[in-house]
Amino acid sequence: MTTAKLQYQSGFGNYFRSEDSRCPGALPEKQNNPQVCPYGLYAEQLSGTAFTAPREHNQRTWFYRIRPSVIHKPFKPYTHKYVTYDVKDVPPNPNQLRWMPFPLPAKSDKTDFVDGLRTVCCAGDPKSRNGCAVYIYTCNTSMSENRAFYNSDGDLLIVPQLGSLEVFTEFGRMTVSPNEICVIQQGMRFSVNIKEESRGYVLEVYDNHFILPNLGPIGANGLANPQDFWAPTAWYEEREIEFEIINKFQGALFTATQKYSPFDVVAWHGNYVPYRYDLSNFVVINTVSVDHCDPSIFTVLTCPSQKPGTAIADFVIFPPRWGVAEHTFRPPYYHRNCMSEFMGLIHGNYEAKEGGFLPGGASLHSMGTPHGPDGPAFEKASRADLKPERVADGTMAFMFESSLSLAVTAYGNKECKVLDEKYYECWQSLKSYFNPNKREVNI
Ligand code: FE2
């Protein structure tokens, strides 16, 4: 499998070119759409923004492929009970929610990435292109032999937690393992192959594409650096086979068949590409004096809303790092956020919750809902000897933080059977240490 660092070859700005090495010169030399393309290929454009989007935002890719994508039978509804935006039967619930690890399918129940998708919580509406959704995927079988998926509603940020994914896309192939992520954007066809039971998280956004956050006074370098994102290199297969294309459109799934593999792109050029990122490349910026910085300091990618500085969803990680703050309560502070916070754990132990928040599980702290360290974590941090110390070694927790109010689906509420009804208990041991006659208090 080959992946290449995104490279600035020809063109201006973030523009990429890739040819399968079996067909050198597959990219036309002087135009996008010549009368006859090299090697008898078809030219096909995939748009990632409106044709008229300003140049600095405009995204599109030209494929040079064996057949155009249009040769398929009509789409028909595809029954999938768990990919849904229908939350009307679940009353709103402002409580802190925590899920134990989401269950894997039974070995006898062959489930691939698409069939294993479960919407856990969501907000907004794909028809009006405003909102986001959070999914869990669990699977025990591969797709690529004769099945591909594409999402008409928005972009998918995939966070493997258990098992590596071999992702076939129209742009080429990439392997994405736990502690890596990939983003597959609106309209891109892909299949997921696995070698073992797999589980992970997916964030879908409808409004915009993910971008790197602005760095302000940090400068040109830090957090997720652009050179650490990888895109596939062109790779094609020519297989004449009954192939199923599954499409998510307006929140519903559809299926159509065609007589060839959709992974038949011999060359492409453009600035609308899938990519992967290794979370261990994240350059952590944090306090070296006092106080605990807001979690936005750990933002890897953001999908901006129309409001300045406010995200439809941020993807935030809590990587291994040094804790050096002095005179400071070092864990995340108690707070009530005007945003929704969905957290997951790839591996290890999250420092603010050393029990109960497990890899493959999740939590949701909704708008205005108070949260923070549990009783034992508060006491431990209040008494800690504040020497420089390693934080989160062997751990990777993450957060999907949204300015939208996430509603839990029937699956997330009851059907998953892993919602922890006793989550609230972890804060009940927090007690008052207040003494109006003594300013210096020992916890
Ligand atoms: Fe929070």
Side-chain angles (χ1 to χ4, degrees), residues 67-86:
R67 295 176 181 82
S69 302
V70 71
I71 318 168
H72 63 83
K73 301 281 173 51
F75 280 102
K76 297 174 181 164
Y78 182 83
T79 303
H80 194 314
K81 181 181 170 191
Y82 296 108
V83 171
T84 180
Y85 304 86
D86 182 358

Side-chain angles (χ1 to χ4, degrees), residues 295 318 332-337 339 341 343 350 365 369 371-372 399 401:
F318 302 95
Y333 43 80
Y334 293 99
H335 70 140
R336 294 177 294 159
N337 194 347
M339 310 265 282
E341 301 182 10
M343 282 193 65
Y350 181 58
H365 300 143
T369 297
H371 57 283
M399 176 163 67
E401 184 174 19

Side-chain angles (χ1 to χ4, degrees), residues 183-223:
V183 172
I184 299 178
Q185 306 181 77
Q186 183 194 27
M188 297 174 178
R189 294 175 178 206
F190 70 100
S191 294
V192 173
N193 280 6
I194 57 170
K195 292 193 172 70
E196 56 190 321
E197 284 186 312
S198 298
R199 175 172 56 203
Y201 310 82
V202 179
L203 170 62
E204 179 185 26
V205 291
Y206 309 143
D207 298 62
N208 284 303
H209 301 304
F210 288 102
I211 57 173
L212 292 169
N214 286 321
L215 294 182
I218 293 172
N221 303 285
L223 308 189

Side-chain angles (χ1 to χ4, degrees), residues 418-437:
V418 290
L419 189 62
D420 180 5
E421 303 288 346
K422 295 185 175 176
Y423 183 31
Y424 73 98
E425 291 181 357
C426 75
W427 291 287
Q428 301 307 309
S429 67
L430 289 164
K431 62 186 182 189
S432 170
Y433 298 94
F434 178 61
N435 182 343
N437 301 312

